[in-house]
Amino acid sequence: MTKKILISDPTLRDGNHAVRHQLSRESFIAYCRAAEAAGVPIVEVGHGNGLGASSMLVGECSLTDDEILSLSRANLINSKLGIHVIPGFCTIKNDLVKAIEAGVDVFRVASHCTEADITDRHIGYIRQAGKQAFGVLMMSHMTSPAILLEESKKMESYGAEAIIIMDSAGAYFPEDVTERISTLVDGLNIPVGFHGHNNLGMAIINSVNAVNAGATIIDGTIRGFGAGAGNTQLEVLVAVFERLGFETGINLYKILDAADIAEKEFNPVAPHVSPLSIVSGLAGVFSGFSKPVGRAAQDYHVDPRDIFFELGKRNAVAGQESLIIEVARELAALNSVKDS
Amino acid sequence: MTLRGKLKVAIIGSGNIGTDLLIKIMRSEHMICTLFAGRNFNSAGMKRANLLGVTISDRGIEAIVNDPAICDLVFDCTSAHAHIEHWAILEKLGKYVIDMTPAKLGVFCIPAINAAECLNGGIRNINMITCGGQSSIPIANAIAQVHNNIEYIEVASSIASRSAGPATRHNLDEYIETTQDALQNFSNARRTKAILILNPANPPIDMQTTIYAKIANPDLPAIHSAVMAMVEKLKAYVPGYKLIVPPTIEGDKVITTIKVLGAGDYLPQYAGNLDIINCAAIAMAELIATSNLTSEA
């Protein structure tokens, strides 16, 4: 029997990290149309950290959430419109009410891997409104498979219709993914998904392992356009899945066309595994930190790699961008002591 | 009477906030905790209160309804939702209420800014905003003393996951809305935003808050001295309050970072979020206790 895999494409959400949340109206329109043409099942849009996250802490978006949602809605017909939200940034009143009115189909409610209970009210609200809600556990490498299962069960009990674990730092090796996904598949009654990052060059093989362990939802972005080293590269994923006989419903030629369109649209450059993102993967630090770390390194004349390893030691998580400056200042102070 | 001269206080809600508050109240010369009421005798907080020899009840607010003379002042450490019902009851009973939830029914209170105002005009419900509000709003207010036309203020707090109990987690939306409203109230900024990050790291991280202010042509030396003066005021009632990144210009914004170390009363030192809101509440309760405001009660 062929395996059917649901592909969820956060190019227009995770990709916003790669351009400091400055994706243009034209990019949203062009990519929504290309994804629609290729038959991508879910197109996820928004600020890199989701609705309500545009801020000085994690970066201000050039478009408002309302603009992004209405633009995307107008250009998606068969593809579902998805969003990502993190309680703590978003609220039901400010963000979810609006998103439901704007016609969002799939709501992915995310928390850090051990914090599932903050999603209770948000998942419940979405389900009551008759919309689809998935639970997302971010930075999932920071905890054990057993705890991931426990947290996933909480989300399931709130009404989540699927659980996706994110390798936000691109830190997993294939066997890590197999162990976690199979634990979740065995312990849950809802579909399980995987969201990869490519810091250590493992995103594709990790996604293949996820499917082999029973995952049925896989995230991928065009050209890997996403935070840090980027995500699992969608057009490669579609090609590899086709070869392996996993059915995605996505048209290969059309997704390759979308990759060409994306190359023109998402200037200056699509993400790649840069020296700094390798360090981010090794340090187990959120990929989205690479741009602010680069800036802080310049401002305080310190080695960005030292910043990453120090952030790793302090178990920094997404949303703690303010810690980057603190660490850079401390390293600069240490350096000046050494120099004097 | 051993109670003479001491303000009789009750705590409802036996979670992290309520239990830490109890331990701090035990040290107060001006207050005595006459009731610690939760819902479950087996909770960690209840057991702790029992060990401390405090009268405990598992009937929540009913324990006060059944014996109104038991206290003059009530600290509500339950949840924003529950506080709405509690206030309706406590108002009728004529109790002073210090609301530790983000229900925002009462007057917003930051002791370093408006303690005196909160005791005027027969105010009986004092709202302690949120932990992030207690740490960030004084800084926003200090900056606003220099610039009365702040375009945008944003505050982001990260707290250790272990310091956030079930009610805090359930009240994230209220936390954000209440912090934003109070921030607006005390800074007059045109737009405000509050963010809360729960950090699961182990060993747990210390509470930290960063304040971003968007200001045209910031007067950094003036901001610096206003902020330093405010930090001193805070330290008077929150010993662990510490400026770790002084006001710094980055691009079009002024960034300031605060760390709050707890006293390690109920939870270890990392839980500065418990300390800052509890120390603020105790500062207010002691003012009430020493100013004879409850003498008619």
Side-chain angles (χ1 to χ4, degrees), chain B residues 129-170:
Chain B
I129 313 173
T130 59
C131 60
Q134 289 295 339
S135 66
S136 63
I137 290 170
I139 303 300
N141 180 266
I143 297 172
Q145 290 164 18
V146 180
H147 296 278
N148 59 9
N149 56 346
I150 302 172
E151 198 180 319
Y152 174 67
I153 284 226
E154 177 183 310
V155 302
S157 293
S158 46
I159 63 173
S161 173
R162 287 174 188 210
S163 69
T168 305
R169 289 159 177 278
H170 200 68

mmCIF file of all heavy atoms in Angstrom, chain B residues 129-170:
data_model
loop_
_atom_site.group_PDB
_atom_site.id
_atom_site.type_symbol
_atom_site.label_atom_id
_atom_site.label_comp_id
_atom_site.label_asym_id
_atom_site.label_seq_id
_atom_site.Cartn_x
_atom_site.Cartn_y
_atom_site.Cartn_z
ATOM 1 N N ILE B 129 -1.497 43.744 38.706
ATOM 2 C CA ILE B 129 -1.150 43.606 37.284
ATOM 3 C C ILE B 129 -0.591 42.201 37.049
ATOM 4 O O ILE B 129 -1.315 41.241 37.210
ATOM 5 C CB ILE B 129 -0.194 44.732 36.822
ATOM 6 C CG1 ILE B 129 -0.761 46.090 37.340
ATOM 7 C CG2 ILE B 129 -0.060 44.794 35.301
ATOM 8 C CD1 ILE B 129 0.142 47.279 37.119
ATOM 9 N N THR B 130 0.709 42.104 36.700
ATOM 10 C CA THR B 130 1.320 40.795 36.415
ATOM 11 C C THR B 130 2.778 40.870 36.869
ATOM 12 O O THR B 130 3.297 41.963 37.111
ATOM 13 C CB THR B 130 1.327 40.508 34.888
ATOM 14 O OG1 THR B 130 2.070 41.557 34.241
ATOM 15 C CG2 THR B 130 -0.082 40.452 34.311
ATOM 16 N N CYS B 131 3.443 39.729 36.919
ATOM 17 C CA CYS B 131 4.862 39.745 37.313
ATOM 18 C C CYS B 131 5.672 40.541 36.295
ATOM 19 O O CYS B 131 6.503 41.374 36.658
ATOM 20 C CB CYS B 131 5.388 38.318 37.469
ATOM 21 S SG CYS B 131 5.280 37.326 35.978
ATOM 22 N N GLY B 132 5.399 40.306 35.007
ATOM 23 C CA GLY B 132 6.123 41.038 33.964
ATOM 24 C C GLY B 132 5.821 42.524 34.040
ATOM 25 O O GLY B 132 6.690 43.364 33.786
ATOM 26 N N GLY B 133 4.587 42.855 34.402
ATOM 27 C CA GLY B 133 4.195 44.253 34.551
ATOM 28 C C GLY B 133 4.946 44.905 35.695
ATOM 29 O O GLY B 133 5.467 46.014 35.566
ATOM 30 N N GLN B 134 5.057 44.198 36.834
ATOM 31 C CA GLN B 134 5.759 44.763 37.993
ATOM 32 C C GLN B 134 7.234 45.025 37.669
ATOM 33 O O GLN B 134 7.828 45.951 38.210
ATOM 34 C CB GLN B 134 5.650 43.842 39.220
ATOM 35 C CG GLN B 134 4.265 43.776 39.845
ATOM 36 C CD GLN B 134 3.801 45.098 40.459
ATOM 37 O OE1 GLN B 134 4.590 45.976 40.778
ATOM 38 N NE2 GLN B 134 2.487 45.250 40.605
ATOM 39 N N SER B 135 7.834 44.196 36.804
ATOM 40 C CA SER B 135 9.258 44.411 36.526
ATOM 41 C C SER B 135 9.483 45.428 35.407
ATOM 42 O O SER B 135 10.447 46.183 35.443
ATOM 43 C CB SER B 135 9.952 43.082 36.207
ATOM 44 O OG SER B 135 9.460 42.541 35.018
ATOM 45 N N SER B 136 8.583 45.480 34.415
ATOM 46 C CA SER B 136 8.845 46.331 33.249
ATOM 47 C C SER B 136 8.234 47.721 33.331
ATOM 48 O O SER B 136 8.810 48.690 32.846
ATOM 49 C CB SER B 136 8.312 45.640 31.994
ATOM 50 O OG SER B 136 6.899 45.483 32.080
ATOM 51 N N ILE B 137 7.056 47.836 33.945
ATOM 52 C CA ILE B 137 6.336 49.114 33.915
ATOM 53 C C ILE B 137 7.107 50.235 34.626
ATOM 54 O O ILE B 137 7.128 51.368 34.137
ATOM 55 C CB ILE B 137 4.900 48.933 34.458
ATOM 56 C CG1 ILE B 137 4.100 48.108 33.450
ATOM 57 C CG2 ILE B 137 4.221 50.281 34.699
ATOM 58 C CD1 ILE B 137 2.745 47.636 33.944
ATOM 59 N N PRO B 138 7.789 49.947 35.749
ATOM 60 C CA PRO B 138 8.575 51.031 36.357
ATOM 61 C C PRO B 138 9.603 51.625 35.386
ATOM 62 O O PRO B 138 9.815 52.835 35.367
ATOM 63 C CB PRO B 138 9.264 50.336 37.537
ATOM 64 C CG PRO B 138 8.355 49.209 37.893
ATOM 65 C CD PRO B 138 7.795 48.729 36.582
ATOM 66 N N ILE B 139 10.228 50.762 34.575
ATOM 67 C CA ILE B 139 11.222 51.255 33.612
ATOM 68 C C ILE B 139 10.527 52.093 32.533
ATOM 69 O O ILE B 139 10.983 53.190 32.174
ATOM 70 C CB ILE B 139 11.985 50.069 32.952
ATOM 71 C CG1 ILE B 139 12.659 49.197 34.022
ATOM 72 C CG2 ILE B 139 12.993 50.575 31.925
ATOM 73 C CD1 ILE B 139 13.682 49.903 34.890
ATOM 74 N N ALA B 140 9.401 51.585 32.043
ATOM 75 C CA ALA B 140 8.644 52.331 31.025
ATOM 76 C C ALA B 140 8.227 53.684 31.579
ATOM 77 O O ALA B 140 8.303 54.712 30.900
ATOM 78 C CB ALA B 140 7.424 51.519 30.587
ATOM 79 N N ASN B 141 7.798 53.688 32.836
ATOM 80 C CA ASN B 141 7.369 54.922 33.480
ATOM 81 C C ASN B 141 8.547 55.899 33.636
ATOM 82 O O ASN B 141 8.405 57.103 33.404
ATOM 83 C CB ASN B 141 6.751 54.580 34.842
ATOM 84 C CG ASN B 141 6.262 55.792 35.590
ATOM 85 O OD1 ASN B 141 6.992 56.343 36.403
ATOM 86 N ND2 ASN B 141 5.045 56.238 35.290
ATOM 87 N N ALA B 142 9.712 55.370 33.975
ATOM 88 C CA ALA B 142 10.904 56.227 34.116
ATOM 89 C C ALA B 142 11.260 56.857 32.770
ATOM 90 O O ALA B 142 11.577 58.048 32.689
ATOM 91 C CB ALA B 142 12.077 55.410 34.660
ATOM 92 N N ILE B 143 11.192 56.063 31.717
ATOM 93 C CA ILE B 143 11.501 56.592 30.379
ATOM 94 C C ILE B 143 10.468 57.660 29.999
ATOM 95 O O ILE B 143 10.799 58.709 29.436
ATOM 96 C CB ILE B 143 11.551 55.458 29.326
ATOM 97 C CG1 ILE B 143 12.687 54.477 29.673
ATOM 98 C CG2 ILE B 143 11.740 56.021 27.926
ATOM 99 C CD1 ILE B 143 12.710 53.211 28.814
ATOM 100 N N ALA B 144 9.218 57.417 30.365
ATOM 101 C CA ALA B 144 8.144 58.364 30.038
ATOM 102 C C ALA B 144 8.294 59.684 30.800
ATOM 103 O O ALA B 144 7.789 60.716 30.361
ATOM 104 C CB ALA B 144 6.780 57.737 30.324
ATOM 105 N N GLN B 145 9.005 59.641 31.934
ATOM 106 C CA GLN B 145 9.257 60.906 32.652
ATOM 107 C C GLN B 145 10.165 61.810 31.819
ATOM 108 O O GLN B 145 10.108 63.029 31.919
ATOM 109 C CB GLN B 145 9.940 60.629 34.003
ATOM 110 C CG GLN B 145 9.018 59.965 35.023
ATOM 111 C CD GLN B 145 9.818 59.365 36.181
ATOM 112 O OE1 GLN B 145 10.986 59.716 36.390
ATOM 113 N NE2 GLN B 145 9.193 58.467 36.920
ATOM 114 N N VAL B 146 10.993 61.199 30.967
ATOM 115 C CA VAL B 146 11.896 61.971 30.116
ATOM 116 C C VAL B 146 11.236 62.281 28.770
ATOM 117 O O VAL B 146 11.351 63.375 28.245
ATOM 118 C CB VAL B 146 13.216 61.183 29.881
ATOM 119 C CG1 VAL B 146 14.170 61.978 28.999
ATOM 120 C CG2 VAL B 146 13.857 60.825 31.215
ATOM 121 N N HIS B 147 10.548 61.294 28.226
ATOM 122 C CA HIS B 147 9.899 61.455 26.913
ATOM 123 C C HIS B 147 8.404 61.170 27.055
ATOM 124 O O HIS B 147 8.015 60.024 27.249
ATOM 125 C CB HIS B 147 10.497 60.479 25.896
ATOM 126 C CG HIS B 147 11.942 60.737 25.601
ATOM 127 N ND1 HIS B 147 12.366 61.690 24.706
ATOM 128 C CD2 HIS B 147 13.079 60.202 26.120
ATOM 129 C CE1 HIS B 147 13.694 61.715 24.665
ATOM 130 N NE2 HIS B 147 14.143 60.811 25.516
ATOM 131 N N ASN B 148 7.598 62.201 26.949
ATOM 132 C CA ASN B 148 6.162 61.967 27.143
ATOM 133 C C ASN B 148 5.447 61.601 25.851
ATOM 134 O O ASN B 148 4.225 61.582 25.784
ATOM 135 C CB ASN B 148 5.497 63.175 27.823
ATOM 136 C CG ASN B 148 5.686 64.440 26.999
ATOM 137 O OD1 ASN B 148 6.156 64.364 25.853
ATOM 138 N ND2 ASN B 148 5.319 65.566 27.559
ATOM 139 N N ASN B 149 6.221 61.335 24.818
ATOM 140 C CA ASN B 149 5.594 61.025 23.517
ATOM 141 C C ASN B 149 6.155 59.732 22.942
ATOM 142 O O ASN B 149 6.537 59.665 21.783
ATOM 143 C CB ASN B 149 5.846 62.180 22.553
ATOM 144 C CG ASN B 149 7.348 62.460 22.427
ATOM 145 O OD1 ASN B 149 8.151 61.978 23.235
ATOM 146 N ND2 ASN B 149 7.727 63.220 21.420
ATOM 147 N N ILE B 150 6.238 58.712 23.778
ATOM 148 C CA ILE B 150 6.802 57.437 23.312
ATOM 149 C C ILE B 150 5.861 56.839 22.272
ATOM 150 O O ILE B 150 4.657 56.728 22.490
ATOM 151 C CB ILE B 150 6.998 56.456 24.490
ATOM 152 C CG1 ILE B 150 7.908 57.081 25.543
ATOM 153 C CG2 ILE B 150 7.553 55.133 24.009
ATOM 154 C CD1 ILE B 150 8.015 56.274 26.831
ATOM 155 N N GLU B 151 6.460 56.428 21.157
ATOM 156 C CA GLU B 151 5.636 55.917 20.071
ATOM 157 C C GLU B 151 5.158 54.491 20.358
ATOM 158 O O GLU B 151 4.023 54.133 20.093
ATOM 159 C CB GLU B 151 6.488 55.946 18.810
ATOM 160 C CG GLU B 151 5.703 55.858 17.539
ATOM 161 C CD GLU B 151 6.645 55.896 16.338
ATOM 162 O OE1 GLU B 151 7.615 56.686 16.356
ATOM 163 O OE2 GLU B 151 6.393 55.113 15.412
ATOM 164 N N TYR B 152 6.076 53.710 20.927
ATOM 165 C CA TYR B 152 5.768 52.284 21.106
ATOM 166 C C TYR B 152 6.624 51.736 22.233
ATOM 167 O O TYR B 152 7.814 52.038 22.308
ATOM 168 C CB TYR B 152 6.091 51.565 19.795
ATOM 169 C CG TYR B 152 5.986 50.044 19.816
ATOM 170 C CD1 TYR B 152 4.762 49.410 19.977
ATOM 171 C CD2 TYR B 152 7.118 49.253 19.638
ATOM 172 C CE1 TYR B 152 4.672 48.017 19.975
ATOM 173 C CE2 TYR B 152 7.032 47.862 19.623
ATOM 174 C CZ TYR B 152 5.805 47.255 19.791
ATOM 175 O OH TYR B 152 5.723 45.886 19.768
ATOM 176 N N ILE B 153 5.992 50.972 23.121
ATOM 177 C CA ILE B 153 6.765 50.282 24.163
ATOM 178 C C ILE B 153 6.410 48.805 24.106
ATOM 179 O O ILE B 153 5.238 48.435 23.987
ATOM 180 C CB ILE B 153 6.462 50.830 25.573
ATOM 181 C CG1 ILE B 153 7.160 52.175 25.762
ATOM 182 C CG2 ILE B 153 6.910 49.840 26.646
ATOM 183 C CD1 ILE B 153 7.895 52.338 27.071
ATOM 184 N N GLU B 154 7.445 48.001 24.163
ATOM 185 C CA GLU B 154 7.219 46.558 24.154
ATOM 186 C C GLU B 154 7.992 45.953 25.316
ATOM 187 O O GLU B 154 9.122 46.354 25.576
ATOM 188 C CB GLU B 154 7.754 46.006 22.829
ATOM 189 C CG GLU B 154 7.659 44.511 22.693
ATOM 190 C CD GLU B 154 8.276 44.065 21.377
ATOM 191 O OE1 GLU B 154 7.935 44.628 20.314
ATOM 192 O OE2 GLU B 154 9.117 43.163 21.421
ATOM 193 N N VAL B 155 7.375 45.003 26.005
ATOM 194 C CA VAL B 155 8.071 44.345 27.103
ATOM 195 C C VAL B 155 7.983 42.841 26.915
ATOM 196 O O VAL B 155 6.926 42.292 26.617
ATOM 197 C CB VAL B 155 7.510 44.754 28.483
ATOM 198 C CG1 VAL B 155 7.609 46.253 28.658
ATOM 199 C CG2 VAL B 155 6.083 44.305 28.677
ATOM 200 N N ALA B 156 9.123 42.195 27.041
ATOM 201 C CA ALA B 156 9.156 40.738 26.870
ATOM 202 C C ALA B 156 9.789 40.138 28.118
ATOM 203 O O ALA B 156 10.898 40.510 28.487
ATOM 204 C CB ALA B 156 9.978 40.383 25.640
ATOM 205 N N SER B 157 9.061 39.242 28.757
ATOM 206 C CA SER B 157 9.602 38.579 29.943
ATOM 207 C C SER B 157 9.794 37.108 29.643
ATOM 208 O O SER B 157 8.961 36.494 28.981
ATOM 209 C CB SER B 157 8.629 38.698 31.120
ATOM 210 O OG SER B 157 8.536 40.043 31.534
ATOM 211 N N SER B 158 10.903 36.561 30.139
ATOM 212 C CA SER B 158 11.014 35.104 30.080
ATOM 213 C C SER B 158 11.124 34.600 31.507
ATOM 214 O O SER B 158 11.838 35.169 32.326
ATOM 215 C CB SER B 158 12.176 34.642 29.213
ATOM 216 O OG SER B 158 13.321 35.367 29.508
ATOM 217 N N ILE B 159 10.345 33.565 31.779
ATOM 218 C CA ILE B 159 10.335 33.005 33.126
ATOM 219 C C ILE B 159 10.539 31.498 33.029
ATOM 220 O O ILE B 159 10.272 30.895 31.998
ATOM 221 C CB ILE B 159 9.022 33.311 33.885
ATOM 222 C CG1 ILE B 159 7.803 32.676 33.193
ATOM 223 C CG2 ILE B 159 8.818 34.807 34.023
ATOM 224 C CD1 ILE B 159 6.518 32.808 33.997
ATOM 225 N N ALA B 160 11.036 30.928 34.109
ATOM 226 C CA ALA B 160 11.250 29.490 34.131
ATOM 227 C C ALA B 160 9.902 28.786 34.143
ATOM 228 O O ALA B 160 8.999 29.150 34.891
ATOM 229 C CB ALA B 160 12.043 29.092 35.367
ATOM 230 N N SER B 161 9.815 27.812 33.278
ATOM 231 C CA SER B 161 8.622 27.010 33.174
ATOM 232 C C SER B 161 8.128 26.507 34.540
ATOM 233 O O SER B 161 6.940 26.535 34.847
ATOM 234 C CB SER B 161 8.988 25.854 32.261
ATOM 235 O OG SER B 161 7.997 24.944 32.197
ATOM 236 N N ARG B 162 9.068 26.094 35.379
ATOM 237 C CA ARG B 162 8.678 25.527 36.675
ATOM 238 C C ARG B 162 8.071 26.540 37.629
ATOM 239 O O ARG B 162 7.493 26.168 38.648
ATOM 240 C CB ARG B 162 9.904 24.932 37.366
ATOM 241 C CG ARG B 162 10.324 23.662 36.714
ATOM 242 C CD ARG B 162 11.606 23.187 37.329
ATOM 243 N NE ARG B 162 12.078 22.063 36.564
ATOM 244 C CZ ARG B 162 12.791 21.079 37.072
ATOM 245 N NH1 ARG B 162 13.112 21.100 38.352
ATOM 246 N NH2 ARG B 162 13.179 20.088 36.317
ATOM 247 N N SER B 163 8.273 27.827 37.339
ATOM 248 C CA SER B 163 7.728 28.837 38.240
ATOM 249 C C SER B 163 6.307 29.220 37.850
ATOM 250 O O SER B 163 5.664 29.992 38.544
ATOM 251 C CB SER B 163 8.624 30.070 38.231
ATOM 252 O OG SER B 163 8.535 30.726 36.982
ATOM 253 N N ALA B 164 5.828 28.703 36.705
ATOM 254 C CA ALA B 164 4.491 29.074 36.236
ATOM 255 C C ALA B 164 3.510 27.957 36.539
ATOM 256 O O ALA B 164 3.567 26.889 35.937
ATOM 257 C CB ALA B 164 4.518 29.362 34.742
ATOM 258 N N GLY B 165 2.629 28.178 37.494
ATOM 259 C CA GLY B 165 1.645 27.174 37.874
ATOM 260 C C GLY B 165 0.488 27.128 36.899
ATOM 261 O O GLY B 165 0.445 27.886 35.929
ATOM 262 N N PRO B 166 -0.469 26.226 37.159
ATOM 263 C CA PRO B 166 -1.584 26.030 36.229
ATOM 264 C C PRO B 166 -2.412 27.300 35.947
ATOM 265 O O PRO B 166 -2.790 27.536 34.808
ATOM 266 C CB PRO B 166 -2.460 24.976 36.931
ATOM 267 C CG PRO B 166 -1.614 24.371 37.981
ATOM 268 C CD PRO B 166 -0.516 25.318 38.303
ATOM 269 N N ALA B 167 -2.664 28.130 36.970
ATOM 270 C CA ALA B 167 -3.493 29.318 36.725
ATOM 271 C C ALA B 167 -2.753 30.304 35.834
ATOM 272 O O ALA B 167 -3.334 30.884 34.915
ATOM 273 C CB ALA B 167 -3.876 29.978 38.049
ATOM 274 N N THR B 168 -1.459 30.470 36.078
ATOM 275 C CA THR B 168 -0.653 31.364 35.232
ATOM 276 C C THR B 168 -0.722 30.900 33.782
ATOM 277 O O THR B 168 -0.917 31.688 32.864
ATOM 278 C CB THR B 168 0.821 31.346 35.706
ATOM 279 O OG1 THR B 168 0.845 31.677 37.083
ATOM 280 C CG2 THR B 168 1.677 32.316 34.917
ATOM 281 N N ARG B 169 -0.575 29.612 33.590
ATOM 282 C CA ARG B 169 -0.576 29.053 32.246
ATOM 283 C C ARG B 169 -1.941 29.228 31.585
ATOM 284 O O ARG B 169 -2.032 29.513 30.393
ATOM 285 C CB ARG B 169 -0.218 27.565 32.301
ATOM 286 C CG ARG B 169 1.217 27.382 32.656
ATOM 287 C CD ARG B 169 1.492 25.998 33.204
ATOM 288 N NE ARG B 169 2.906 25.881 33.454
ATOM 289 C CZ ARG B 169 3.803 25.597 32.515
ATOM 290 N NH1 ARG B 169 3.425 25.326 31.284
ATOM 291 N NH2 ARG B 169 5.076 25.564 32.804
ATOM 292 N N HIS B 170 -2.978 29.069 32.380
ATOM 293 C CA HIS B 170 -4.322 29.192 31.837
ATOM 294 C C HIS B 170 -4.663 30.650 31.531
ATOM 295 O O HIS B 170 -5.521 30.943 30.712
ATOM 296 C CB HIS B 170 -5.316 28.620 32.861
ATOM 297 C CG HIS B 170 -6.631 28.260 32.265
ATOM 298 N ND1 HIS B 170 -6.771 27.215 31.382
ATOM 299 C CD2 HIS B 170 -7.858 28.812 32.399
ATOM 300 C CE1 HIS B 170 -8.037 27.134 31.010
ATOM 301 N NE2 HIS B 170 -8.713 28.100 31.611
#
